Amino acid sequence: MQSRSDWSIIPPLTTEIAHTDARHAATELVRGLAARGHVIGDGRVADGSAGVYEHHDPATGAVHAEVALGGAAEIDAAVRAARDALPVWRATPVEQRVAILHRLADLLVERRADAAAVNALDNGTPVSGIDSGAYTAAWTRYYAGWVDKLEGQVVPVYGGDALDYVLPEPYGVIGAIVPWNGPMMGMGQKVVPALAAGNTVVTKPPEIAPFGALMFAELALEAGLPPGACNVVPGGAVAGQALVRHPGVNKVSFTGGLETARAVIAAAADNVVPLTLELGGKSANIIFPDADLDVAVSVAAMLGAVLLSGQGCALPTRCYVHDDVYDDVVARIVAQVEGVPVGDPLDPTVLMGPVVTDAACTRILGVIERATAGGAGELLTGGERLGGPLADGYYIAPTVFGDVDHDSELAQREVFGPVLSVLRFRDEDEVVAKANDNPFGLAAYVHTRDVARAHRVARRLDVGTVTVNAFPGMSPSAPFGGFKQSGFGREGGRAGIEEFVRPKNVVIGL
Ligand code: NAD
């Protein structure tokens, strides 16, 4: 993650795609992961019953790997492996489980350059942007610290003499559906706490970005995790449905979009499988006139239109600026966005890479076209697919719309691309009402130097996370998750591991 001071000093530059040693080495890494295939138990399965997906390098559009798509057969084999591993993992002494997770964190740090390169080829995230190996290692160390701290309780007894206690038990086998915008990070957020709580896991990364999850599973085996405790079966909807419906799965943790979540909820109803759902967002970023505008502009521009090419669930894509500073702030956002180096995600000077697929590019450009044609706002910069040396990749210029209509599709719906909407407001009540007037409730951002207002507005915002005057990044120790249609359940912190234990009550008459 760039520090906010770095963001404002990056010189403008558009790079060419470098067909360099770095690209060759990264391509070899993802090819190797694809060729070795699914991680199931102590073996690798190179074929998939649901066919083959040609994975394209988002930077160049070239097919660089063939991914075997898992289907019901591979999911079934993986769930069986996870069930077999369950007694082994649960019988592993606590201190060994802690040591294995720390060893895994060490490996993630040792291989962080490879992890960043794999991430870049998975989905186009610049190597300069998110250090997915270090990020995942931090989550792994944090949850390693919980392994020996999950404690039960003794509870008071009504109407008799008894010893009544509560045990925190793992569910058993967890089905994890991780997102494509951070497949290795998703392993840190879901799989690591599940393992730390004593569960075993079958993960289904999406076919469009499977490599970070496969790499994580290989490192977990190298770290000494029992085979079968962490299985990974890349695939699409067929594999996802097979996982959610499998009778051997005791809980599902899903990250994805709202429509898919509805299908997951319906599928989970068959076996009454409990769910954690991390869904979408359309996070408001409220800039009051007393804010530190340097920070506010950096957060608005870099998180709102640049980081992950806008493909992040909690990014502040709906920016409300007070009328008194609107013109100044908007001019500075546009200038900052226009100075961002866009290009090859393997180039360490690049801050913004391509979007994940050609289809995503087409979909995002469609949203921009509809917004422009429908007068949803004024297109201030961007709005087009980048050509020249970047024409073969999936690049969209970072895009800013000003004076956006609060009720428009642009302001209300998740774009999941590098498109920032800026809106005006005049007073606190008005902006809180507008910020809350959205089906999502994942996150919000507030910029003000008035401490009382910061607390007051944070309390009134109907979202799972409020960030004031900064964006330090997601911390493994903090609970992250949605209100409203952004889902339920949490990743991170105590709440994140409690998602993976269920209380068992034992009463012993004395
Ligand atoms: P998506 O809903 O299309 O797919 C998510 C996953 O579900 C994929 O792995 C897909 O293969 C699988 N899937 C598809 N159909 C399924 C079915 N019928 N049953 C089971 N699984 C099925 O989402 P996406 O486009 O891959 O991701 C973007 C969405 O994810 C956005 O809405 C974004 O906000 C959200 N997201 C949320 C978070 C978070 O932590 N809250 C993080 C990243 C992304």
Side-chain angles (χ1 to χ4, degrees):
M1 180 75 59
Q2 292 286 319
S3 78
R4 63 182 192 231
S5 55
D6 292 335
W7 292 343
S8 51
I9 56 164
I10 299 289
L13 169 77
T14 299
T15 56
E16 301 198 0
I17 297 299
H19 295 278
T20 57
D21 289 350
R23 177 161 300 281
H24 178 73
T27 304
E28 287 304 307
L29 279 175
V30 300
R31 271 198 193 132
L33 288 160
R36 292 191 289 281
H38 313 289
V39 179
I40 298 177
D42 59 1
R44 304 301 298 263
V45 176
D47 297 324
S49 61
V52 171
Y53 177 78
E54 290 193 333
H55 195 282
H56 296 246
D57 181 342
T60 64
V63 174
H64 60 176
E66 298 203 327
V67 178
L69 289 176
E74 292 75 23
I75 290 290
D76 183 56
V79 173
R80 285 170 194 276
R83 292 222 77 82
D84 289 347
L86 206 45
V88 181
W89 182 231
R90 285 190 65 179
T92 304
V94 163
E95 64 276 19
Q96 260 184 47
R97 282 195 257 159
V98 173
I100 288 168
L101 290 178
H102 277 295
R103 174 80 188 121
L104 171 57
D106 291 343
L107 290 172
L108 287 162
V109 171
E110 278 169 29
R111 298 284 303 278
R112 66 200 285 188
D114 286 349
V118 165
N119 203 26
L121 266 56
D122 244 335
N123 59 22
T125 301
V127 292
S128 69
I130 289 180
D131 189 341
S132 59
Y135 177 99
T136 309
W139 282 69
T140 305
R141 287 198 205 291
Y142 174 79
Y143 279 116
W146 269 104
V147 171
D148 58 2
K149 293 168 196 72
L150 274 179
E151 293 168 345
Q153 273 181 295
V154 177
V155 295
V157 177
Y158 276 67
D161 197 9
L163 174 65
D164 190 332
Y165 60 90
V166 183
L167 297 172
E169 284 205 347
Y171 276 88
V173 173
I174 304 297
I177 298 183
V178 293
W180 50 259
N181 62 349
M184 180 178 276
M185 299 191 295
M187 301 299 278
Q189 291 171 212
K190 289 188 191 301
V191 175
V192 169
L195 290 169
N199 302 278
T200 57
V201 189
V202 176
T203 300
K204 188 210 77 68
E207 70 279 41
I208 59 174
F211 304 120
L214 288 167
M215 183 176 173
F216 175 97
E218 289 189 350
L219 294 180
L221 283 169
E222 194 180 330
L225 199 73
C230 174
N231 308 278
V232 174
V233 177
V238 173
Q241 278 284 308
L243 183 61
V244 179
R245 290 187 186 280
H246 198 292
V249 170
N250 303 103
K251 173 158 190 181
V252 169
S253 179
F254 168 84
T255 297
L258 191 53
E259 285 312 313
T260 315
R262 292 195 172 105
V264 167
I265 292 167
D270 278 356
N271 296 322
V272 195
V273 176
L275 295 171
T276 296
L277 298 179
E278 296 286 351
L279 310 180
K282 186 77 184 179
S283 300
N285 179 20
I286 304 172
I287 302 178
F288 287 98
D290 66 341
D292 177 336
L293 293 186
D294 290 341
V295 174
V297 164
S298 264
V299 169
M302 303 308 291
L303 294 184
V306 174
L307 187 73
L308 288 170
S309 300
Q311 303 164 117
C313 51
L315 297 176
T317 50
R318 223 173 12 126
C319 182
Y320 292 91
V321 184
H322 192 277
D323 215 22
D324 289 354
V325 290
Y326 183 91
D327 291 342
D328 179 29
V329 166
V330 169
R332 290 166 67 178
I333 290 172
V334 169
Q336 192 156 344
V337 159
E338 288 179 345
V340 164
V342 181
D344 185 350
L346 290 173
D347 178 340
T349 67
V350 155
L351 276 186
M352 183 171 143
V355 299
V356 64
T357 56
D358 202 25
C361 223
T362 305
R363 184 187 56 74
I364 295 160
L365 290 169
V367 176
I368 294 170
E369 267 171 44
R370 285 197 297 283
T372 312
E378 185 189 354
L379 179 62
L380 300 175
T381 187
E384 79 275 344
R385 188 166 179 159
L386 293 174
L390 304 180
D392 292 337
Y394 312 139
Y395 294 91
I396 296 177
T399 298
V400 180
F401 280 90
D403 278 313
V404 173
D405 173 7
H406 171 81
D407 296 318
S408 63
E409 176 198 16
L410 191 60
Q412 288 292 325
R413 300 273 294 275
E414 190 177 35
V415 180
F416 231 61
V419 182
L420 173 65
S421 296
V422 189
L423 305 89
R424 287 177 196 267
F425 75 95
R426 279 231 56 90
D427 70 62
E428 188 178 309
D429 285 348
E430 173 206 352
V431 78
V432 168
K434 282 184 170 162
N436 285 337
D437 180 27
N438 189 273
F440 293 116
L442 192 56
Y445 304 73
V446 180
H447 294 271
T448 177
R449 286 194 172 96
D450 178 338
V451 175
R453 173 151 64 194
H455 287 290
R456 192 169 59 237
V457 172
R459 196 181 293 174
R460 296 175 70 192
L461 289 168
D462 209 5
V463 298
T465 298
V466 180
T467 307
V468 180
N469 293 340
F471 184 73
M474 271 179 69
S475 164
S477 54
F480 173 76
F483 287 9
K484 303 194 286 188
Q485 291 184 14
S486 291
F488 44 79
R490 292 292 178 270
E491 289 176 353
R494 176 194 288 264
I497 194 161
E498 285 176 348
E499 295 287 322
F500 297 111
V501 291
R502 50 191 172 181
K504 175 182 277 180
N505 188 206
V506 181
V507 188
I508 301 180
L510 299 174

